[in-house]
Amino acid sequence: VEDDRICDDKHRLLKEFINAIIYNLIKSSNHFRYSDSIKDFALSLYILGGKLTYEFVRLNLAGSLPNLTMLHSLISNSNLKISEAEFRFDELQNKFKNLNIQYAFCSEDMTSVMKKIKYDSIANTFVGFPTPLAHGIPIKEYYKTDSFDILKLWFSSIEKSSLLNVHMIQPLQYSSQNVIPSPFLLAAYGTNTTTTADDILQRWWYIFNQFLQRKIRIIGFSTDADAKYLRAMRLISGFFGSSSNLQLHQHPLAFKIQTTSQWP
């Protein structure tokens, strides 16, 4: 009996997938119905595989997956919409509560993107310009206007973003927890090469304090070997250098590793 139950759970999605096809084959497209499991699978396939992969599967298996209109509606209603330069601290706090986790590691990196301007109809903003920084923190919804002249000025005077800056959070489970939590996208926004090490330091300090207010401890930041990030890491750790404004390595909550006074 136990083996049958495990087998049923293992193939539950496949059964619902087949049932959706059978049910929808005798219905008009306006009356297609899908279970919550199929909707979750559709969202995962669309996010991980992209639009072309999703449409290839949907069109070749008629009635198996929701159309793009329904899928976009699911995304809008499921809080999966991410706005540029929005730090999702509250969403991450809820995730940590569900996981019963209090510690995490933060990473930040830039990746090249195609220079392109898009209109975000939900936030009524234009995405694709470099996001201005205030004390290292990106300004959310900066490019919002109802004036065509201002929009024309932006296009003529501001270079499009060539880089996407991404902040990821990796929750750290306790030793008694066997499942490794999945990483979480904290924020993303367009940028350029004018970011300084001081901007990065102030941004990390802001992230650290925002999490601390939510009783979540960020024990470290990681990034690649870009010169600006290396300088920021050197200054934040006090390694042959320090910042006159932020002496973070001397902070009472700075993460420290105790080492033995003698090597074996």
Side-chain angles (χ1 to χ4, degrees):
V1 176
E2 181 68 18
D3 292 340
D4 291 340
R5 185 185 63 80
I6 295 175
C7 185
D8 289 341
D9 291 340
K10 184 177 180 180
H11 300 293
R12 182 169 60 88
L13 178 60
L14 178 60
K15 291 180 179 179
E16 293 193 18
F17 197 74
I18 295 174
N19 289 336
I21 296 176
I22 295 174
Y23 176 85
N24 292 328
L25 278 178
I26 58 175
K27 303 288 184 180
S28 66
S29 59
N30 294 331
H31 294 87
F32 283 180
R33 296 292 182 268
Y34 304 95
S35 66
D36 291 338
S37 297
I38 295 297
K39 292 176 182 178
D40 291 340
F41 172 76
L43 288 173
S44 299
L45 178 62
Y46 183 78
I47 293 171
L48 297 175
K51 180 180 178 180
L52 292 179
T53 301
Y54 184 86
E55 284 291 83
F56 178 82
V57 175
R58 186 182 72 85
L59 294 175
N60 283 277
L61 294 173
S64 61
L65 296 172
N67 58 34
L68 291 180
T69 302
M70 181 183 293
L71 194 67
H72 291 156
S73 178
L74 290 173
I75 294 174
S76 300
N77 296 330
S78 61
N79 200 28
L80 291 176
K81 177 70 176 178
I82 300 176
S83 299
E84 184 180 33
E86 177 185 14
F87 284 83
R88 305 163 65 209
F89 293 113
D90 293 334
E91 290 89 339
L92 188 57
Q93 182 182 19
N94 293 332
K95 179 182 177 69
F96 272 56
K97 285 183 178 179
N98 294 333
L99 295 173
N100 191 26
I101 289 176
Q102 294 179 316
Y103 298 93
F105 220 92
C106 181
S107 66
E108 177 179 346
D109 198 6
M110 297 182 187
T111 183
S112 299
V113 293
M114 294 182 61
K115 295 182 179 182
K116 184 178 181 181
I117 305 298
K118 295 186 65 177
Y119 174 66
D120 185 343
S121 59
I122 297 178
N124 189 28
T125 58
F126 292 90
V127 179
F129 295 110
T131 307
L133 303 177
H135 304 291
I137 314 304
I139 302 175
K140 180 184 175 183
E141 299 180 356
Y142 183 83
Y143 296 101
K144 175 182 288 189
T145 182
D146 295 325
S147 170
F148 179 77
D149 291 334
I150 294 178
L151 180 61
K152 184 178 178 181
L153 177 64
W154 288 344
F155 270 91
S156 61
S157 61
I158 302 177
E159 186 178 359
K160 300 179 182 69
S161 298
S162 59
L163 299 168
L164 180 69
N165 203 38
V166 178
H167 298 266
M168 297 294 297
I169 299 294
Q170 176 59 60
L172 301 178
Q173 78 276 21
Y174 294 101
S175 58
S176 58
Q177 297 172 318
N178 297 323
V179 179
I180 300 177
S182 58
F184 186 89
L185 175 61
L186 179 63
Y189 47 92
T191 186
N192 50 29
T193 57
T194 61
T195 303
T196 65
D198 188 59
D199 291 329
I200 297 170
L201 274 178
Q202 293 188 74
R203 187 159 57 244
W204 288 354
W205 182 235
Y206 166 77
I207 293 173
F208 176 84
N209 281 304
Q210 286 294 319
F211 277 116
L212 197 61
Q213 293 174 16
R214 293 166 173 81
K215 302 185 185 306
I216 299 172
R217 179 72 181 275
I218 298 295
I219 65 170
F221 292 84
S222 64
T223 182
D224 61 10
D226 183 274
K228 295 186 291 292
Y229 288 121
L230 283 177
R231 175 172 170 77
M233 287 188 286
R234 185 165 61 87
L235 293 176
I236 203 171
S237 61
F239 184 73
F240 291 99
S242 62
S243 172
S244 58
N245 298 325
L246 294 172
Q247 300 287 335
L248 299 184
H249 62 287
Q250 298 179 359
H251 194 278
L253 292 178
F255 181 70
K256 296 180 175 62
I257 299 177
Q258 294 182 353
T259 58
T260 181
S261 58
Q262 294 181 348
W263 293 100

